[in-house]
Amino acid sequence: MVSLNLDREVEQRLGDHDVRYTRGRRVVVSALAASDGPRSAAELHREIGPDLPLSSLYRSLSVLEDAGVIIPHHGARTLTRYELAEWLAGHHHHLVCVECGSVEDIEIPKKHESRVKALVQELSDGASFTPLNHALEIEGRCSKCT
Amino acid sequence: MVSLNLDREVEQRLGDHDVRYTRGRRVVVSALAASDGPRSAAELHREIGPDLPLSSLYRSLSVLEDAGVIIPHHGARTLTRYELAEWLAGHHHHLVCVECGSVEDIEIPKKHESRVKALVQELSDGASFTPLNHALEIEGRCSKCT
DNA sequence: CCTATAATAAGAACGATTCTCATTATAAGG
DNA sequence: CCTTATAATGAGAATCGTTCTTATTATAGG
Ligand SMILES: [Mn+2]
Ligand SMILES: [Mn+2]
Ligand SMILES: [Zn+2]
Ligand SMILES: [Zn+2]
């Protein structure tokens, strides 16, 4: 899913935003690239380890979001999870478990995707709304929680 | 959108959960029934007025959620908005403005809805996921923010 | 090397939400 | 009507994720 030149592309993008691609930022991007779904600051901190303090992790997330490298996902109460932006990870949707709160990426076949896209455009037109993106979130129970 | 017997149905549901349909809870349900989209505690408090203290409002929201009368929506950072559950308000989707954060309800024609539903089922099957519901969130700019 | 600027890290501050607990309202029996 | 047990309320403290402040450290150029 993730480009082989991920670091190259992120470096480029951060350069365009006049910020450096530092160690802390690299490790965050790397952790998100290895995830099969969005991750919260706490989850990333657990995964990355205490070498990257929470305050620094939060600031890295903020910088990466401003640069458009990652995007926030708000599927759970009082918790923001992040994932690589779609220009890096590809367009996809989510399976959200109502039991354990986990969120997993899911891709949908192109033909279905184009149908959804057309529907989104049609609905937006009818509401004088300018669509930029759409998210299909499927809520239910994951295989572990069944 | 909302049943004419809303109060009747909510009263019934709360009774099944052994909680009373008190004044505070009624005013919250009424405010949500009058909204064209999900509302946060702060928004409801502004709308309802200071007669219902925030702490009571929050507890009313919690009780109503436990009873399945309202459901939380997590479209905005660090903020939970609530709306009437679908068995009361009907199934629908959302237009989310990335500029001002507002969220508006939108209904989609039945034929489209059934297509989406079929797609959701198909995707879930392929991931051994048990779907309970789905949410199509259209992100973009509302008419005010264009 | 120097120096200006950017990034980091520790902890304080903040805001939304939840909890605690003393007070008040309500329903059911007597 | 009273009584009494239970439920609900409201004020404020506590909590938790997140953001801000500020002193220190790292880095890119000159
Ligand atoms: Mn994702
Ligand atoms: Mn809605
Ligand atoms: Zn699960
Ligand atoms: Zn708007």
Side-chain angles (χ1 to χ4, degrees):
Chain A
M1 211 52 8
V2 175
S3 161
L4 293 177
N5 302 318
L6 178 63
D7 268 343
R8 223 72 50 87
E9 304 198 67
V10 172
E11 186 156 38
Q12 171 73 46
R13 174 65 79 108
L14 289 185
D16 294 347
H17 282 252
D18 298 315
V19 294
R20 300 174 191 158
Y21 195 20
T22 59
R23 184 180 130 55
R25 294 165 190 179
R26 280 177 198 274
V27 75
V28 168
V29 167
S30 168
L32 288 179
S35 298
D36 63 345
R39 293 289 180 266
S40 68
E43 289 165 344
L44 290 170
H45 190 245
R46 223 171 295 131
E47 219 161 301
I48 291 171
D51 282 10
L52 185 59
L54 252 191
S55 67
S56 300
L57 207 170
Y58 270 111
R59 201 158 15 69
S60 287
L61 290 173
S62 167
V63 168
L64 291 169
E65 182 184 0
D66 287 349
V69 172
I70 64 177
I71 56 173
H73 178 267
H74 309 285
R77 183 123 59 179
T78 67
L79 189 96
T80 302
R81 289 189 165 110
Y82 290 89
E83 59 184 351
L84 294 182
E86 298 204 332
W87 64 277
L88 289 168
H91 178 63
H92 63 275
H93 297 287
H94 293 126
L95 300 173
V96 181
C97 180
V98 298
E99 193 70 26
C100 67
S102 69
V103 181
E104 193 178 347
D105 293 339
I106 187 171
E107 286 173 75
I108 83 180
K110 276 166 289 304
K111 63 173 179 179
H112 290 309
E113 185 60 51
S114 54
R115 278 221 200 99
V116 172
K117 210 168 178 176
L119 173 60
V120 164
Q121 188 61 57
E122 184 182 330
L123 293 171
S124 297
D125 287 348
S128 46
F129 189 86
T130 308
L132 296 171
N133 201 358
H134 66 266
L136 178 63
E137 307 270 309
I138 304 179
E139 298 154 36
R141 281 179 215 288
C142 74
S143 49
K144 290 177 192 166
C145 294
T146 303
Chain B
M1 211 54 11
V2 175
S3 163
L4 292 177
N5 301 318
L6 178 62
D7 268 343
R8 223 69 52 85
E9 303 199 68
V10 172
E11 185 157 39
Q12 171 73 46
R13 174 64 79 108
L14 290 185
D16 294 347
H17 283 252
D18 297 315
V19 293
R20 300 175 190 158
Y21 195 21
T22 59
R23 184 176 145 54
R25 295 166 188 176
R26 280 176 198 274
V27 76
V28 168
V29 167
S30 168
L32 288 178
S35 299
D36 65 345
R39 293 289 180 266
S40 68
E43 289 164 344
L44 290 170
H45 190 245
R46 222 171 295 131
E47 219 161 301
I48 291 171
D51 281 11
L52 185 60
L54 253 190
S55 67
S56 300
L57 207 170
Y58 270 111
R59 200 150 18 71
S60 286
L61 290 172
S62 167
V63 167
L64 291 169
E65 182 184 358
D66 287 348
V69 172
I70 64 177
I71 56 173
H73 178 267
H74 310 285
R77 182 122 60 178
T78 68
L79 189 96
T80 302
R81 288 190 167 108
Y82 290 88
E83 59 185 350
L84 293 184
E86 298 204 332
W87 66 276
L88 289 169
H91 179 63
H92 63 273
H93 297 287
H94 293 126
L95 298 173
V96 181
C97 180
V98 298
E99 193 69 26
C100 67
S102 69
V103 181
E104 193 178 345
D105 293 340
I106 187 171
E107 286 174 76
I108 83 180
K110 276 166 289 306
K111 64 173 181 179
H112 290 310
E113 185 60 51
S114 55
R115 278 221 199 97
V116 172
K117 210 168 179 177
L119 173 59
V120 164
Q121 189 60 56
E122 184 182 330
L123 293 171
S124 297
D125 287 347
S128 45
F129 188 87
T130 307
L132 296 172
N133 200 358
H134 66 266
L136 177 63
E137 307 271 308
I138 304 180
E139 298 154 36
R141 281 179 215 287
C142 74
S143 50
K144 292 177 191 166
C145 294
T146 302

